[in-house]
Amino acid sequence: MTELLKGTARDKALAPLVAQGWTENSHGTAIEKRFVFRNFVEAFAFMTRVALLAEKRDHHPDWRNVYRTVEVTLSTHDAGGLTVKDIELAQKMNEAAAYV
Ligand code: HBI
């Protein structure tokens, strides 16, 4: 099982994501971001791209799509909080959003 991120390692991993609009949830057990696209098709194209990335990594987002927005929460259920898998998927999601 992937280990929980703690202490300075956690802070260092989170810093670049916070700079790109990610926030921690109130319990510190997940990170969240709201992506807004020009329209539904671009939002869904983003979700399609991320779905393939997530499946390849066996690590999946908790997300909600309404029209051109995609609200995302990332955590590692098995570990009960944040792991490197969440950090890496968040980085990939930022990259995927830039392509749309
Ligand atoms: N996705 N976000 C997230 N967290 C998990 O713990 C997880 C997952 N996708 C698949 C997965 N775990 C499998 O390894 C099984 O544990 C369900």
Side-chain angles (χ1 to χ4, degrees):
M1 182 177 81
T2 313
E3 289 300 310
L4 276 180
L5 279 171
K6 293 177 181 167
T8 51
R10 188 181 194 278
D11 297 342
K12 284 182 178 174
L14 279 177
L17 294 177
V18 169
Q20 294 169 316
W22 291 85
T23 58
E24 289 184 67
N25 72 348
S26 55
H27 303 289
T29 54
I31 49 174
E32 303 169 336
K33 183 172 180 178
R34 185 169 187 265
F35 293 86
V36 182
F37 299 92
R38 283 175 291 204
N39 53 50
F40 172 72
V41 169
E42 291 198 1
F44 204 83
F46 165 76
M47 295 179 79
T48 302
R49 188 174 287 119
V50 171
L52 298 176
L53 288 169
E55 190 58 16
K56 190 160 60 174
R57 293 161 174 268
D58 190 26
H59 198 70
H60 305 83
D62 173 350
W63 50 6
R64 180 171 188 264
N65 161 240
V66 177
Y67 182 44
R68 65 194 188 112
T69 68
V70 181
E71 294 176 340
V72 180
T73 301
L74 298 179
S75 68
T76 301
H77 314 139
D78 300 352
L82 274 182
T83 70
V84 66
K85 289 184 175 182
D86 303 303
I87 304 299
E88 290 172 352
L89 185 55
Q91 287 162 344
K92 287 295 182 188
M93 292 184 87
N94 285 338
E95 293 165 19
Y99 277 115
V100 178

